[in-house]
């Protein structure tokens, strides 16, 4: 079974269609980071295999994780954040939303390269 991730303001347009296992892992990771950083995840509960994303909240969560990634020297937190941020950047890009503010041009280039690499593995 596949899941579909859609934007709350673009009903019917799929942004990502992963397997249910991958979808559950991503939603679970978003919930964990939501709890850790005290920010709503913006990802709604799945209904009939569809998760609707409110990009105002999801963008805030993604920005919080990106900010912490750039500010921490905790290697494990950075490792745990890496896949979530890359996947989030693909979803944000596909929804036509602005990416979170990065610390500088070098970080922007690194995240853009990882986003593009991830996008090729994220079916629509």
């Amino acid at each position: 079974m596949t899941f579909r991730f859609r934007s709350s303001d673009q009903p019917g347009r799929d942004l990502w269609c992963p397997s249910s296992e991958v979808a559950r892992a991503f939603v679970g990771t978003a919930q964990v980071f939501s709890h850790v950083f005290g920010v709503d995840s913006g990802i709604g509960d799945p209904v009939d295999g569809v998760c609707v994303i409110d990009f105002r909240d999801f963008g805030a969560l993604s920005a919080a994780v990106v900010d912490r990634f750039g500010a921490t020297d905790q290697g494990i937190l950075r490792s745990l954040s890496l896949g979530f941020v890359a996947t989030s950047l693909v979803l944000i890009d596909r929804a036509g939303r602005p990416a979170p503010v990065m610390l500088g041009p070098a970080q922007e280039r690194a995240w853009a390269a990882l986003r593009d690499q991830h996008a090729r593995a994220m079916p629509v």
Side-chain angles (χ1 to χ4, degrees):
M1 177 183 168
T2 59
F3 267 60
R4 299 186 183 303
F5 286 87
R6 295 179 176 159
S7 174
S8 60
D9 62 353
Q10 299 173 10
R13 179 171 173 253
D14 294 337
L15 301 174
W16 182 32
C17 299
S19 70
S20 60
E21 178 182 47
V22 173
R24 286 192 314 270
F26 180 71
V27 171
T29 302
Q31 290 170 344
V32 167
F33 281 128
S34 174
H35 176 73
V36 168
F37 297 113
V39 179
D40 288 337
S41 75
I43 301 176
D45 293 329
V47 176
D48 296 327
V50 175
C51 286
V52 176
I53 301 173
D54 176 333
F55 276 92
R56 186 191 62 213
D57 290 339
F58 185 73
L61 174 62
S62 299
V65 179
V66 166
D67 287 346
R68 189 67 179 131
F69 184 94
T72 189
D73 62 355
Q74 296 294 322
I76 300 302
L77 182 58
R78 289 173 63 101
S79 292
L80 292 168
S81 302
L82 198 59
F84 175 78
V85 171
T87 305
S88 297
L89 291 175
V90 173
L91 291 169
I92 289 167
D93 184 61
R94 288 180 180 173
R97 299 301 182 116
V101 175
M102 309 291 175
L103 289 178
Q107 190 181 62
E108 286 177 17
R109 285 189 301 274
W111 281 123
L114 189 58
R115 177 202 64 215
D116 293 346
Q117 179 184 5
H118 253 61
R120 290 188 291 274
M122 292 176 63
V124 179

